[in-house]
Amino acid sequence: MPGLTQMAARKILVLFGSQTGTAEDTAERIGREAKRRHFQCRVEALDSYSVANLIHETLVVFVCATTGQGDPPDNMKNFWRFLFRKSLPATSLCQMDYAVLGLGDSSYPKFNFIAKKLHKRLLQLGGNPIMPVALGDDQHDLGPDAVVDPWLLDLWRKILALYPLPSGLNVIGPDIVLPPKFTFQFLEEDSGPIQQEEVTREAPSELHPFSARMVSNQRVTAESHFQDVRLIEFDITGSGIEYAAGDVVMIQPHNAPEDMQLFCDLLRLDPDKHFVIRPTESNTPLPALLPQPCSMHHLVSHYLDISCIPRRSFFELLSYFSPDELEREKLQEFSSAQGQEELYAYCNRPRRTTLEVLYDFPHTTGAIPCNYLFDLIPRIRPRAFSIASSMLAFRNRIQILLAVVQYKTRLSKPRHGLCSSWLASLDPQNGAVRVPLWVKQGSMMFPADPDSPAIMIGPGTGVAPFRAAIQERVAQDKKGNCLFFGCRQRSKDFYCQAEWEELVKKGLLTLFIAFSRDQEQKVYVQHCIRENKKLVWDLVSRGNAYIYLAGNAKQMPEAVAEALKFVFQSEGGLSASEAEEYFATLDRTRRYQAETWC
């Protein structure tokens, strides 16, 4: 029975480490392509997989993102720690063929650092690479697909040479739609109320968020200012949550009620209908965050990310359901390799949402089988916010500084950030408001030594973690608190002005502010650093100060780094190369820490 043996041996495991969902989406794509080639395939998050079993796997594809300053995504951190144990033998993975696909952003200094390091470590443990590591780049006009598409073509050529199709079987063609992950079983009207999640005593987490009461939602920019920034406070009494300065609160947003209703109208779904779902394959786990039974209202408002920009796989799957020839041809074009520039112009550049695409393809949308909703649309991802308060100042409270995301593209309707717009719309004065949240450790660590000064550079909402740090350090009687804050105008967006000025008056804070638009010549935080070079150098060289930076990742981090190197040269007498090395040493020893975002 050679055919059966061959089939049993044709297994592939796809493991992903994903922060925003791109790596997960790519892993699911590889999984679909594997099924078309008659592989038994599992697609799992790295931390959901029992890593000790890796020694028994024969063929594994790793898809991993790089976050922040070269860190692994949250759902691969445990795997990462295990893999780098020094006790692992050099022959641990000698039976494993593998390939690594990295997804990163070349605007960050540690571009695809995790993928490169993973590839190297698997090689050290005896793994057999069947492909060079792929380095997808968000900055490319066509996104990561510019690298992923040709790499996957080569990957399947190599894999089929090593693991050929059993005789009599061909690759399942692109004209055939694969079965859905789940099937819906709709319940009768009297099926009873939606099942409530059991109360758990576990620490709040993504699987068990704490439903925190919103205490206040205060605008901290002038009404006439273009940017709406909120200081929002949550009550976490009874949650068991503890946090320190630099930590991050994760918030699980919901879709707007009007968007939920439009989606149901377009797909001809009854929001009040209840259902249970069943996996098509027995080894597929049910969605962890979805109650069983569930209402269509809950699924669309709490789970399906209908406001995200759809990925290429969305258009590919959508094309199978289209009864309209013109719509089907356009969807097939958008999902082809040749149509990527046009798809970018239609979808990515104007930031068109999934809901808007469905509206643009009405015949197709009305024909979408319910069973494919989970294959078409990803789940809503939690959003991370730097905590802007200290437990030492606000016991049982979490505060965040939130910029409401709104901007224009060529589309007539302004673009809105899902989470920021949802939070801004909530008003605790109109009744109790609950928000699902949990806390995770941030990347910034503030000095434990009470004599170590902290130089904090936080333009805009980048000041949030430093407000937490200053509150914490003042409560601990730590001196040497120095803040460089930047905003546009004193009268419009000087967040927490009274609080900072009171601390300055008490001698607990040294404050420098760059109001970029209050004079003809624009002034930014980097200019303030240069102007106060003597103080900065004294704090760093004599005071052993730590330097922290948070804010937008465009030009600001590089401009601040250049300003610091200027200080090291002009006040420290270092040459340009010595200043570079001094800055690199601060970075390496974590006396310089940066947290930036796009």
Side-chain angles (χ1 to χ4, degrees), residues 34-67:
K35 286 176 183 176
R36 291 190 179 277
R37 289 156 178 83
H38 302 281
F39 279 93
Q40 294 177 40
C41 179
R42 281 181 300 142
V43 179
E44 288 190 47
L46 278 153
D47 276 0
S48 301
Y49 175 73
S50 181
V51 65
N53 292 333
L54 206 58
I55 58 171
H56 305 301
E57 305 289 354
T58 53
L59 178 58
V60 186
V61 179
F62 297 87
V63 185
C64 50
T66 296
T67 69

Side-chain angles (χ1 to χ4, degrees), residues 110 582-594:
K110 293 191 174 177
Y582 190 79
F583 183 78
T585 302
L586 290 175
D587 189 21
R588 192 169 55 250
T589 57
R590 290 184 62 76
R591 280 184 58 204
Y592 174 77
Q593 298 175 41

